[in-house]
Amino acid sequence: MQVTYWLEHAWLDPEVEPGVVVEVSQDGRIADVRTGVDTPPPGATVLRGLTVPGLANAHSHAFHRALRSTVQVGSGTFWTWREVMYAVADRLTPDTYHALARAVYAEMALAGITAVGEFHYLHHAPRGTAYDDPNAMGEALIAAAAEAGIRITLLDTAYVSSGFGKEPDRHQRRFSDGTTEAWAERATLLKDRDHARIGAAIHSVRAVPADQLGTVAEWARTRGAPLHVHLSEQTAENEACLAAHGCTPTRLLADHGVLGPNTTGVHNTHLTDEDVALLGGSGTGTCMCPTTERDLADGIGPAVALQKEGSPLSLGSDSHAVIDLFEEARAMELNERLRTRTRGHWTAAALLRAATADGHAALGWTDAGRIERGALADFTTVALDSVRTAGPLPRLGAETAVFAASAADVRHTVVGGRHVVRDGRHELVGDVAGALTAAIGALRG
């Protein structure tokens, strides 16, 4: 059946329009968009507030959600944080990972996220033993996304070294297939489905030897699949790459054919001017994860310079210190203000674009992230009458969403024309907080 939605206000990039009717066809796509409709048509589902395209969380490690608050105790660095993360990873099984990811993806739906890019490297049992189904962990994530009602791009990640050719340590054996050829053989068994697409990832230049980078890039290229890579997140990574190869990580990726329009560098924090030119000139995307980058004291990446050079920007919640794409969007702008002591590097529309259309494109969902005819009917509605959002004129809805709203202001999330979150309640996972509590509690040592 065709479904009709009446949107009290809608962000139709770049403007906010009042009274918008969206017709959704049986295949879950937008059949028609009409503006200037003052009252809801008979039988229409009414979405009051500001409706925007569904948000795309372009970089996620679902199991990191179990670290929230635990890693806020005391001090340390990225590297000490990593040891805590490994301890949680060691306890996961396909069943416990499914339970955790289902709850995390439901939390994302409550935050208006309709698609997630899961940077997935936890492949095997402890000590590196393969499960009977070698993709049991990845399949658990795909199933979890379906049950939470969102789309997923499983970015199956090659991770074969603990650092520039060194053997994986005892924690990392779960991540490694031994070689990228073995990784490709396993990853090829994964298949797209209606709500899921399969992409690839290079964990980092530390974790994939230089002479094996091309294998992963070619696998993605032949399939037209997105390829993501952690890039220059830490100065220590840059220094180690210079010592091993005499060049920066970006130059190493460029020399081995990894960069290009289907590739996204995640973080891209500590770059040289040449790195910025290589990334922008090749059309390689940049996924910024400001809440994680600040939580781990990683630094502020040169997002403005990257975009000016031609690198499309997307956003991710990464370690899930919080899950709030509005916070990620405004943090990118506010970080830049602190660094430069000037305001207004991006408009609210540009920041929303990074969180919607450009994020979806980075995940291979080029038919999502817009409220227009033919696009997937994925959208989310933000309250304009909460204590955070009340007061501004509705025509300033984009500014309100980006600079004042939070995930708590999401009222509705629609995926493929189906209500997944209605009036702030998840329709498929009734008690999301309880599911998170149970799933995380099961992982405590």
Side-chain angles (χ1 to χ4, degrees), residues 146-195:
E147 292 174 31
I150 70 171
R151 305 185 195 277
I152 185 171
T153 297
L154 189 76
L155 297 160
D156 197 276
T157 304
Y159 192 132
V160 299
S161 169
S162 68
F164 297 99
K166 296 179 183 177
E167 288 295 312
D169 68 22
R170 64 185 181 86
H171 300 294
Q172 297 162 345
R173 289 174 193 150
R174 298 196 73 175
F175 311 160
S176 178
D177 291 293
T179 66
T180 52
E181 287 79 8
W183 165 84
E185 184 177 348
R186 180 186 52 72
T188 299
L189 300 174
L190 291 160
K191 303 300 180 186
D192 289 355
R193 50 215 86 171
D194 286 347
H195 81 289

Side-chain angles (χ1 to χ4, degrees), residues 220-273:
R221 189 176 299 113
T222 58
R223 289 162 176 77
L227 172 62
H228 288 216
V229 54
H230 289 136
L231 181 57
S232 288
E233 182 177 5
Q234 294 288 321
T235 54
E237 175 184 300
N238 289 0
E239 291 160 3
C241 188
L242 284 166
H245 298 291
C247 64
T248 66
T250 301
R251 169 51 73 184
L252 188 69
L253 294 175
D255 289 348
H256 288 83
V258 175
L259 303 185
N262 286 337
T263 300
T264 297
V266 180
H267 304 301
N268 293 359
T269 307
H270 303 286
L271 303 178
T272 66
D273 290 345

Side-chain angles (χ1 to χ4, degrees), residues 21-25 27-33 370-379 417:
V21 169
V22 173
E23 302 279 1
V24 180
S25 58
D27 62 359
R29 292 183 179 272
I30 296 173
D32 194 22
V33 178
R370 299 176 303 280
I371 299 176
E372 62 181 38
R373 187 180 291 115
L376 291 167
D378 299 354
F379 37 87

Side-chain angles (χ1 to χ4, degrees), residues 91-145:
R91 300 187 190 109
L92 285 163
T93 67
D95 287 342
T96 58
Y97 205 6
H98 171 266
L100 177 60
R102 176 178 177 268
V104 174
Y105 296 154
E107 181 182 357
M108 290 185 191
L110 288 171
I113 292 163
T114 57
V116 60
E118 185 61 39
F119 200 101
H120 169 56
Y121 56 83
L122 189 55
H123 302 304
H124 306 298
R127 300 178 184 173
T129 305
Y131 290 107
D132 290 341
D133 175 356
N135 286 306
M137 296 294 262
E139 292 291 348
L141 293 166
I142 292 170

